[in-house]
């Protein structure tokens, strides 16, 4: 789904009010209730809103969408984001790679095009993909494996990551708020991502357009902490301004 300005306005109104009736949205946006229902359905499919009788509220801030559902969505967009990131990582670099389906797409892109990489990851799927390249050295962290998506977290994971200083950290995120806050659902996963960021010379954020305005419980950091963001659609104006103010480069994939 490509978000329209009306979708962004709906999300803004829901964030400001907590719940918005369909009839009120239709009046404020000067469209029919049928149009608003269609918009809400699309935003619900992107896991940005939840539909209730007569209106909509924000999606859950405490529970992420099922891994296989996430993996099946926006595959072309994620692949284009991955290709852009791969173009900006040289051969023979060292890197952290975090949890997430977009990060798995980056792993696939790097495996197909690069040589001599040294990779440290807490993502079983990333390790599996990248270990097929015999020219890579792939290290997987210690810790507890999360059955839902193959992510590894915990104190042992942090201890492992803190032993290294790498060239690049490629990090995913569940939600990006208008003030630049980066959000996720699991505080243990967030602590691992923060450790990767702290121990990397360059930090790349991989985020498809569905992450803009998405709700989640745990604050991972701020967009200004990254050197670059890679996405597939123009972010809201407030985020564009923040990127400019903090000299965060934005790489925008070609439309799918």
């Amino acid at each position: 789904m490509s978000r329209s300005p009306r979708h962004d306005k709906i999300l803004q109104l829901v964030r400001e009010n907590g719940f918005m009736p369909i009839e009120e949205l239709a009046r404020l946006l000067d469209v029919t209730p049928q149009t608003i229902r269609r918009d809400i359905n699309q935003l619900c499919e992107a896991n940005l809103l939840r539909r209730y009788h007569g209106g909509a509220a924000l999606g859950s801030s405490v529970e992420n969408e099922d891994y296989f559902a996430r993996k099946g969505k926006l595959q072309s967009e994620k692949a284009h984001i991955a290709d852009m990131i791969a173009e900006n990582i040289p051969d023979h670099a060292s890197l952290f790679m975090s949890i997430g389906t977009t990060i798995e797409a980056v792993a696939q892109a790097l495996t197909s095009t690069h040589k001599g990489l040294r990779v440290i990851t807490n993502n079983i799927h990333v390790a599996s993909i990248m270990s097929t390249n015999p020219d890579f050295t792939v290290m997987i962290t210690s810790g507890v494996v999360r059955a839902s998506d193959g992510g590894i977290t915990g104190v042992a994971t942090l201890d492992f990551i803190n032993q290294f200083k790498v060239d690049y950290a490629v990090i995913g995120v569940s939600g990006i708020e208008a003030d630049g806050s980066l959000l996720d659902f699991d505080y243990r996963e967030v602590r691992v991502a923060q450790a990767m960021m702290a121990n990397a010379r360059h930090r790349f954020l991989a985020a498809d357009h569905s992450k803009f305005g998405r709700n989640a419980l745990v604050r991972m950091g701020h967009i200004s902490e990254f050197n670059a963001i890679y996405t597939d659609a123009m972010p809201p104006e407030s985020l564009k301004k923040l990127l400019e103010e903090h000299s965060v480069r934005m790489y925008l994939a070609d439309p799918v």
Side-chain angles (χ1 to χ4, degrees):
M1 182 193 75
S2 180
R3 285 234 301 267
S4 69
R6 190 173 64 245
H7 288 162
D8 288 332
K9 185 63 177 177
I10 291 170
L11 288 171
Q12 178 186 340
L13 288 166
V14 172
R15 280 195 296 270
E16 291 173 352
N17 295 278
F19 174 86
M20 283 297 294
I22 289 172
E23 297 294 335
E24 180 69 5
L25 286 169
R27 183 185 68 79
L28 291 171
L29 299 177
D30 195 26
V31 295
T32 66
Q34 290 77 15
T35 296
I36 293 296
R37 289 190 185 94
R38 184 167 59 248
D39 289 339
I40 288 173
N41 286 339
Q42 292 174 338
L43 291 167
C44 288
E45 288 175 4
N47 207 35
L48 294 170
L49 291 181
R50 284 193 174 185
R51 184 168 183 171
Y52 297 90
H53 180 68
L58 288 177
S60 173
S61 65
V62 299
E63 183 178 3
N64 202 358
E65 192 175 16
D66 175 75
Y67 167 77
F68 292 102
R70 285 183 281 129
K71 190 171 180 62
K73 288 182 178 179
L74 302 173
Q75 291 183 344
S76 295
E77 290 85 348
K78 292 172 184 176
H80 286 194
I81 290 169
D83 288 341
M84 288 192 301
I85 292 175
E87 288 174 2
N88 285 277
I89 293 178
D91 290 335
H92 305 287
S94 59
L95 58 154
F96 290 129
M97 298 188 68
S98 73
I99 299 170
T101 56
T102 305
I103 305 304
E104 292 167 22
V106 176
Q108 192 65 61
L110 289 169
T111 301
S112 302
T113 58
H114 281 55
K115 59 185 179 182
L117 296 183
R118 301 297 182 264
V119 181
I120 302 158
T121 184
N122 66 326
N123 184 330
I124 283 178
H125 303 297
V126 165
S128 177
I129 292 166
M130 302 193 84
S131 61
T132 61
N133 186 325
D135 199 41
F136 289 179
T137 298
V138 180
M139 290 174 276
I140 194 162
T141 66
S142 307
V144 179
V145 179
R146 195 164 59 190
S148 60
D149 62 0
I152 303 172
T153 60
V155 174
T157 315
L158 295 173
D159 289 343
F160 190 89
I161 287 168
N162 284 326
Q163 296 179 70
F164 299 92
K165 184 77 173 183
V166 304
D167 299 320
Y168 299 90
V170 185
I171 307 293
V173 68
S174 292
I176 307 174
E177 290 206 328
D179 66 357
S181 295
L182 305 176
L183 306 174
D184 222 306
F185 292 91
D186 187 331
Y187 76 93
R188 292 161 298 189
E189 180 179 343
V190 162
R191 290 191 65 196
V192 174
Q194 290 170 338
M196 289 180 172
M197 292 161 60
N199 288 291
R201 298 178 182 90
H202 305 280
R203 294 170 292 281
F204 291 170
L205 183 66
D208 66 68
H209 68 266
S210 72
K211 308 302 170 60
F212 298 133
R214 189 180 178 205
N215 197 24
L217 178 65
V218 187
R219 189 178 187 278
M220 186 178 81
H222 193 268
I223 202 164
S224 61
E225 298 173 63
F226 282 81
N227 300 99
I229 178 173
Y230 295 80
T231 187
D232 63 303
M234 196 66 71
E237 284 298 322
S238 59
L239 275 176
K240 285 172 60 180
K241 185 177 179 182
L242 279 171
L243 295 175
E244 292 169 2
E245 287 176 355
H246 295 283
S247 300
V248 179
R249 299 187 304 277
M250 180 175 65
Y251 293 86
L252 193 64
D254 293 331
V256 176

